Each structure stands twice: as structure tokens, then as C-alpha cells.
């Protein structure tokens, strides 16, 4: 099957091997190596698009092509030769996707990117420099896209970070209880119920001058940044499937959630699930080193809350998927989504105990380093 797909794309040389790559909770990924006539080898990343999640794959690719072309132009303008942008490989008939029918006759979509060489990505890292560079990479991504025409972007997943809608959906599905799993998760449900009010905090203001829509990545996990193997600095931001207009608070918050947590996303030993404050500071410093100039006072004031809200949102999403019979996130073992939800709930608890500290750090480091320099910080 993969051979048939590869033959539809504009790739030079002879296929020498294909391996499956297990990262990511949504799409399926393979790496193919080709040998060119001059003997050199080139690698490519093939991805089968999960069309249950991304129902309109051409719109998704339109966003990615628009954003990557723009980023490349920005980098040329800035004489930036150290960073890279995802490179979409076209099919022989110049499309960004190809499709084949599977055994059941359903259309399956595939895309190919050039493989980024000399790079490494981390699922978790306790190294402050790596965490700083992850914050910097996502901050840089947002900054470079600051003037990208937002009207060109399609909403690839509707209401993706609308935490209140995620909450309402969970409540609806609890009533349906299609798999009979609700009784088992009563404690988790109560925890979420008690936090209904914070679910609307960002979305209620989004679109105002103080809380502007920005071009955001929306999936700022540590493993979505490729780092340069030699220098340790960031090379490229990947996984652009959810680039859409949104709030910077979800990007910043999810970055801290995924880089500063001391445990795996589905950690079973909840006593290990904490925010490491040194890693939080490193991420914040990296992010602010790129984005401080554009932030508004309102955004700045809600950054620590953003970490809490996105973590709660993920707890809601994982729990909802568990209740619905695990139809959205890929799982490797029974009850993985329940473990993911429990770990995110433990993380929300820890964030709540550190919220004031985090908030102070953000404000102080902002005013200490950037005081007076930037006019765009709006005072209430
Ligand atoms: C999914 O595909 P991946 O692993 O990058 C999910 C994110 C979640 C993340 C949690 C489109 O991201 O929203 O934060 O899992 N992506 C989508 O690990 O739902
Ligand atoms: Mg993703």
C-alpha cells in the first residue's frame, strides 16, 4: 500500500525502505528512504490523515501550504539560515494529497513532507535549555506569523480550543453514557464540574483588542519542535495541522503543560505529576524572548491561568473520549485515556497550588526585562 502511495508523489530515486513511526495521537506516520542516482539517500515522512478528526483534508493542506510558504519568505527576508520550515512534497499531478481506497472502499488520504535531517525531538525533557528553546520556537512561530492574513485560514477543527464547548459536550455524553463507563469516573467528573466557570475565561474575551485573535499553532507539545542535534537550538516547528486563528494563551499554556510537567501524559503514579517551576520559568523566558513585544496586558495577566485552562481542557477531552469508548485519541492499552485524564487532573491540582507563584513570575520577568520598552502593553 505505502509503495503505491509513494509512486503517486514527485520523489526522485529508488525506494529502499519504509519504517513506521509511532509518535502522535492522531495521524499515522511512516518514514521512507530513497536512493538517488548519484548514490545519495533522502528520507521522507508519509502521513495518513485521520479523517475522523480532520474531516476536510484539502482545507488542512491549504492552511499548511499557506503558512509554510509565508514562513519561508519571512526567513529569507530575515536572512535566517539556521531554521527550517516543513516542506510539502507534491504529487505528480501537483496536489498536496493523494488518496487510495482501503479494503472497505473508504477513501484514505496521504501527504508527504521532506524529512528534517540532523534533528531530534523529545517527548519529555528535564533539560532547561531544551525547554527554553521549545518556548522560543513556539514564540518565534507566533511572532513570524503575526501579520499573516488570518482570513486565509480555514478552521480545520471547529471550536478546537473552546473549553466551554468541550465541557458541555462532556456533560451531554455523560448523560448518554454509551459505554457504561460513567459510574467509574464519578470523582473525575466532580473535579471538572467544580471548575465550569474557568472554562469560559478565555473564549468570552477572545476577539477583543485586549485579547486578540492571533495565528496560533494550537498543539504546542514539546515533541512538535525539532531541535538541531549539534547545537541544541530549535530547527523547526512541526505538526501544523491545527494552525488556526486563536488565543496565544492556549499555545503558551499547552507549551508549559507539556514541557514543565515532571511525568508522562498518562502517568499512573499521580504523586509524580507536578509542574517543575524551573522548567516553567525556562519555557516562559524562551517564549517571552520572542513574543514580549506584542503581548497585551490582558494576555499577560492570564498566562498562568492559560496553563491551568488548557490542562483542564485536556482532562475533559481525555475523559470524554474514555466515556465514549476511545474513538478519538490513539490508545496503546486499555483505559489509557482514563489514565491520561487522571494525570491531567493531578496536574491541574498542582498548577492551582502554584498559580500565584507562576503569575508573579510572568509579571515580574516581564516588567523587569521589558518595562517601558513596549507600548503595546495595554493597561486596564
Ligand atoms: C493530539 O497528534 P498529537 O499527538 O500531536 C491532539 C492534541 C492534544 C494531544 C495530547 C488534533 O496531538 O490536541 O493536545 O494529542 N491533536 C488533535 O497529547 O486533537
Ligand atoms: Mg497534532
Amino acid at each position: 500500500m505505502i509503495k503505491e502511495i509513494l509512486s503517486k508523489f514527485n520523489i526522485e530515486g529508488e525506494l529502499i525502505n519504509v519504517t513506521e513511526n509511532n509518535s502522535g495521537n492522531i495521524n499515522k506516520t511512516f518514514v521512507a528512504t530513497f536512493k538517488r542516482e548519484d548514490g545519495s539517500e533522502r528520507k521522507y515522512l508519509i502521513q495518513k490523515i485521520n479523517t475522523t478528526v480532520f474531516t476536510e483534508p484539502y482545507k488542512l493542506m491549504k492552511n499548511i501550504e499557506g503558512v509554510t510558504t509565508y514562513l519561508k519568505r519571512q526567513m529569507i527576508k530575515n536572512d535566517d539560515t539556521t531554521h527550517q520550515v516543513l516542506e510539502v512534497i507534491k504529487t505528480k499531478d501537483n496536489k498536496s494529497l493523494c488518496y487510495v481506497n482501503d479494503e472497505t472502499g473508504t477513501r484514505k488520504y496521504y501527504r508527504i513532507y521532506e524529512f528534517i535531517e540532523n534533528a531530534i525531538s523529545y517527548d519529555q525533557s528535564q533539560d532547561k535549555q531544551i525547554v527554553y528553546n521549545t518556548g522560543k520556537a513556539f514564540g518565534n512561530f507566533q511572532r513570524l506569523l503575526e501579520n499573516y492574513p488570518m482570513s486565509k485560514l480555514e478552521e480545520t477543527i471547529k471550536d478546537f480550543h473552546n473549553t466551554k464547548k468541550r465541557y458541555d459536550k462532556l456533560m451531554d455524553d455523560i448523560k448518554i453514557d454509551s459505554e457504561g463507563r460513567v459510574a467509574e469516573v464519578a470523582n473525575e467528573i466532580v473535579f471538572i464540574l467544580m471548575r465550569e466557570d474557568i472554562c469560559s475565561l478565555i473564549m468570552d474575551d477572545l476577539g477583543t483588542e485586549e485579547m486578540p485573535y492571533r495565528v496560533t499553532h494550537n498543539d504546542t507539545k514539546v515533541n512538535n519542535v525539532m531541535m538541531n542535534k549539534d547545537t541544541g537550538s530549535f530547527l523547526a516547528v512541526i505538526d501544523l495541522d491545527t494552525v488556526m486563528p486563536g488565543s496565544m494563551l492556549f499555545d503558551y499554556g499547552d507549551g508549559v503543560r507539556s514541557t514543565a510537567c515532571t511525568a508522562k501524559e498518562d502517568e499512573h503514579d499521580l504523586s509524580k505529576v507536578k509542574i517543575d517551576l524551573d522548567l516553567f520559568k525556562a519555557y516562559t523566558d524562551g517564549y517571552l524572548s520572542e513574543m514580549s513585544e506584542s503581548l497585551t496586558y490582558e494576555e499577560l495577566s492570564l498566562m498562568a491561568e492559560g496553563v491551568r485552562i488548557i490542562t483542564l481542557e485536556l482532562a475533559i477531552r481525555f475523559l470524554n473520549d474514555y466515556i465514549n469508548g476511545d474513538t478519538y485519541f490513539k490508545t496503546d492499552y486499555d483505559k489509557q485515556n482514563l489514565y491520561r485524564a487522571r494525570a491531567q487532573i493531578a496536574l491541574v491540582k498542582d498548577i492551582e497550588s502554584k498559580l500565584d507563584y507562576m503569575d508573579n513570575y510572568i509579571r515580574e520577568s516581564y516588567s523587569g526585562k521589558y518595562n517601558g520598552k513596549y507600548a503595546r502593553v495595554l493597561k486596564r
Side-chain angles (χ1 to χ4, degrees), residues 25-27 54 219 221 224 239 241-242:
N25 289 334
I26 309 291
N27 297 320
F54 298 106
D219 189 7
K221 291 205 296 195
N224 282 334
D239 191 357
D241 294 342
T242 46

Side-chain angles (χ1 to χ4, degrees), residues 29-92:
T29 306
F30 304 88
V31 179
T33 311
F34 279 74
K35 195 174 198 153
R36 294 188 165 183
E37 261 181 24
D38 63 4
S40 65
E41 287 183 6
R42 278 284 181 100
K43 285 188 187 153
Y44 298 89
L45 210 74
I46 302 124
Q47 285 189 314
K48 179 178 174 191
I49 314 270
N50 179 332
T51 41
T52 314
V53 173
F54 298 106
T55 49
E56 297 184 277
Y58 283 102
K59 285 191 178 172
L60 173 88
M61 292 313 290
K62 184 184 145 211
N63 278 0
I64 294 176
E65 288 196 276
V67 164
T68 53
T69 308
Y70 184 88
L71 283 173
K72 248 179 272 164
R73 245 186 274 135
Q74 291 289 102
M75 287 182 188
I76 292 169
K77 216 166 80 189
N78 300 340
D79 275 335
D80 180 351
T81 51
T82 54
H83 301 126
Q84 291 181 28
V85 182
L86 273 182
E87 182 83 39
V88 177
I89 304 287
K90 293 285 188 71
T91 61
K92 287 176 177 155

Side-chain angles (χ1 to χ4, degrees), residues 24-267:
N25 289 334
I26 309 291
N27 297 320
K28 209 175 171 128
T29 306
F30 304 88
V31 179
T33 311
F34 279 74
K35 195 174 198 153
R36 294 188 165 183
E37 261 181 24
D38 63 4
S40 65
E41 287 183 6
R42 278 284 181 100
K43 285 188 187 153
Y44 298 89
L45 210 74
I46 302 124
Q47 285 189 314
K48 179 178 174 191
I49 314 270
N50 179 332
T51 41
T52 314
V53 173
F54 298 106
T55 49
E56 297 184 277
Y58 283 102
K59 285 191 178 172
L60 173 88
M61 292 313 290
K62 184 184 145 211
N63 278 0
I64 294 176
E65 288 196 276
V67 164
T68 53
T69 308
Y70 184 88
L71 283 173
K72 248 179 272 164
R73 245 186 274 135
Q74 291 289 102
M75 287 182 188
I76 292 169
K77 216 166 80 189
N78 300 340
D79 275 335
D80 180 351
T81 51
T82 54
H83 301 126
Q84 291 181 28
V85 182
L86 273 182
E87 182 83 39
V88 177
I89 304 287
K90 293 285 188 71
T91 61
K92 287 176 177 155
D93 53 359
N94 205 30
K95 303 253 164 52
S96 56
L97 286 169
C98 86
Y99 58 82
V100 289
N101 290 335
D102 70 1
E103 347 34 268
T104 67
T106 319
R107 219 174 243 200
K108 297 290 171 194
Y109 291 87
Y110 292 81
R111 68 172 167 218
I112 299 189
Y113 292 124
E114 222 165 78
F115 188 85
I116 300 177
E117 294 285 356
N118 201 34
I120 181 164
S121 77
Y122 301 87
D123 283 324
Q124 223 189 329
S125 172
Q126 307 295 326
D127 181 324
K128 276 193 245 167
Q129 197 56 38
I130 290 170
V131 171
Y132 176 93
N133 285 334
T134 307
K136 193 171 176 61
F138 286 122
N140 178 265
F141 181 83
Q142 232 165 50
R143 186 169 63 77
L144 292 182
L145 289 169
E146 214 154 42
N147 294 319
Y148 185 80
M150 252 185 267
S151 58
K152 278 194 177 171
L153 285 172
E154 305 280 351
E155 194 174 15
T156 50
I157 301 180
K158 202 166 160 13
D159 294 318
F160 190 56
H161 283 315
N162 191 327
T163 317
K164 184 57 172 47
K165 288 211 170 149
R166 299 278 187 188
Y167 175 95
D168 292 342
K169 173 87 170 67
L170 174 66
M171 295 307 144
D172 290 347
D173 291 351
I174 286 170
K175 282 184 211 132
I176 301 167
D177 194 11
S178 63
E179 307 294 308
R181 292 178 174 180
V182 166
E184 184 192 358
V185 297
N187 291 340
E188 288 75 15
I189 294 172
V190 171
F191 182 91
I192 292 167
L193 271 173
M194 286 168 65
R195 285 159 182 79
E196 180 182 2
D197 56 338
I198 63 162
C199 293
S200 319
L201 208 61
I202 299 175
M203 288 313 286
D204 275 359
D205 281 354
L206 192 59
T208 58
E209 192 189 356
E210 292 80 11
M211 180 85 77
Y213 272 104
R214 299 176 182 279
V215 177
T216 46
H217 182 280
N218 296 307
D219 189 7
T220 50
K221 291 205 296 195
V222 58
N223 61 7
N224 282 334
V225 177
M226 304 298 295
M227 300 288 175
N228 184 315
K229 256 188 196 160
D230 302 326
T231 65
S233 64
F234 77 87
L235 201 56
V237 168
I238 58 167
D239 191 357
L240 307 181
D241 294 342
T242 46
V243 173
M244 284 180 273
S247 166
M248 57 63 67
L249 293 167
F250 295 113
D251 274 11
Y252 167 76
D254 208 19
V256 173
R257 178 195 72 88
S258 94
T259 54
C261 180
T262 49
K264 292 189 305 231
E265 197 162 65
D266 62 342
E267 178 61 57

